[in-house]
Amino acid sequence: MPLLDPENRVLGHLAVFDTRPMSEEPRRLYTFKIFAARAAAELLRQRMVVQLAESEKRYRDLYDEAPIAYLSTGVDGRFQIVNQRVLEW
C-alpha cells in the first residue's frame, strides 16, 4: 500500500507479509488503508520536526552572529533574549 502525502506523492510503501494469503474481505483492505494513511501522517510529522529544527538552527545562527545588536524585552522591561553583539557592547 503506498504511503501518500497530501499531494498524492508517494513517500514509501507499507507491506504486510504472512504465509497465508490475505482474504478478499473489503474490511481488511480498508483497515490496511487506514494504517497506511496513519503511517504516512507520522512520516510527514517526523519530516516536519526535522525541518523545523533545521530552520530554528539557521535562525539562531543568523540572530546570534548578526553584525548589529538584537535584544528582546518583556513587558516588565527585563531582557529576555540578546545576541552576541549586545554582549560585546
Side-chain angles (χ1 to χ4, degrees):
M1 181 69 56
L3 304 179
L4 303 173
D5 71 2
E7 288 80 35
N8 284 328
R9 292 180 298 218
V10 177
L11 301 171
H13 291 86
L14 179 67
V16 176
F17 294 93
D18 196 348
T19 57
R20 297 167 295 169
M22 187 172 165
S23 71
E24 295 293 325
E25 183 181 349
R27 186 177 60 170
R28 292 182 191 260
L29 182 58
Y30 293 133
T31 302
F32 198 52
K33 285 182 179 181
I34 290 170
F35 275 99
R38 182 65 192 107
E42 181 62 19
L43 188 58
L44 284 172
R45 187 194 68 77
Q46 288 176 347
R47 287 181 180 181
M48 293 304 290
V49 165
V50 169
Q51 288 176 351
L52 181 61
E54 290 170 354
S55 176
E56 171 82 15
K57 183 181 181 320
R58 282 192 308 273
Y59 164 77
R60 184 63 44 207
D61 288 343
L62 287 171
Y63 185 88
D64 287 340
E65 303 302 326
I68 59 174
Y70 286 119
L71 57 98
S72 298
T73 59
V75 292
D76 60 359
R78 293 182 181 194
F79 293 141
Q80 292 180 331
I81 302 171
V82 299
N83 70 349
Q84 187 63 37
R85 187 65 62 199
V86 171
L87 298 176
E88 291 170 2
W89 281 2

